[in-house]
Amino acid sequence: MLSNHQKNIATFIHLSTFSRFIIPLGNFIGPIILWVANKDKSEFIDNHGKQAINFQISILLYAIIIGTLTIPFFIFKIFHGIDFIDFHGFHDFHINVGKPSPLLYIGGILGAFAIVAFILELVFIVIASLKARDGEYYRYPLTINFLK
């Protein structure tokens, strides 16, 4: 039987990920502090702490991958037409506003994907918090289990 205290701690572990909007890296610091301080008290808290931390690490990894894919598209667009071997300044550098590049579309699609992923992340955190409040276990989707 789970106590209300255990449910509350598990709920706050998930909700503490929102501290990133106030504290840099708060989405890692908050859950880790709550989890480490309480993981030995309950298997329920231990499970929810691991899930929250694994989800935040997975989100960071996915953001790095999306950023790594997106940045080259913008670099290729900016430096398009510049000859690096015979470089004499930026007199040949221009940006054509009239005709968008396909690279711009790809970068825009990846940016839109990042926005949708951010919204889904917020939704999943709220769902996990509600499940913890109700005393249920929750597994975040698309999470890599770094902590087992």
Side-chain angles (χ1 to χ4, degrees):
M1 184 76 178
L2 295 172
S3 69
N4 281 336
H5 180 70
Q6 291 171 335
K7 293 177 191 177
N8 289 339
I9 294 293
T11 302
F12 286 129
I13 286 173
H14 294 289
L15 291 177
S16 68
T17 60
F18 289 129
S19 66
R20 73 174 174 199
F21 298 116
I22 299 169
I23 303 168
L25 298 175
N27 58 326
F28 295 105
I29 296 169
I32 289 173
I33 289 172
L34 287 172
W35 174 64
V36 168
N38 296 291
K39 69 180 181 177
D40 297 331
K41 297 176 184 174
S42 166
E43 182 181 326
F44 182 74
I45 294 172
D46 186 44
N47 181 277
H48 277 277
K50 288 177 184 177
Q51 284 297 311
I53 295 166
N54 283 335
F55 183 63
Q56 291 303 313
I57 295 171
S58 299
I59 290 295
L60 176 65
L61 181 64
Y62 298 145
I64 290 171
I65 291 170
I66 289 174
T68 303
L69 292 174
T70 305
I71 289 172
F73 291 116
F74 289 108
I75 290 174
F76 289 140
K77 176 62 179 165
I78 290 172
F79 293 117
H80 177 70
I82 295 178
D83 186 7
F84 288 105
I85 296 173
D86 191 24
F87 182 74
H88 296 294
F90 289 101
H91 57 72
D92 290 331
F93 182 76
H94 66 281
I95 297 175
N96 186 358
V97 179
K99 182 180 176 188
S101 167
L103 296 177
L104 185 63
Y105 292 126
I106 294 171
I109 289 169
L110 288 172
F113 179 71
I115 291 170
V116 169
F118 174 73
I119 292 168
L120 286 174
E121 175 190 2
L122 298 179
V123 168
F124 292 147
I125 291 170
V126 170
I127 291 171
S129 301
L130 294 173
K131 294 284 187 178
R133 180 197 67 185
D134 295 337
E136 301 174 24
Y137 287 94
Y138 182 75
R139 290 189 47 87
Y140 286 98
L142 302 173
T143 301
I144 302 167
N145 287 325
F146 296 101
L147 302 172
K148 296 184 186 219

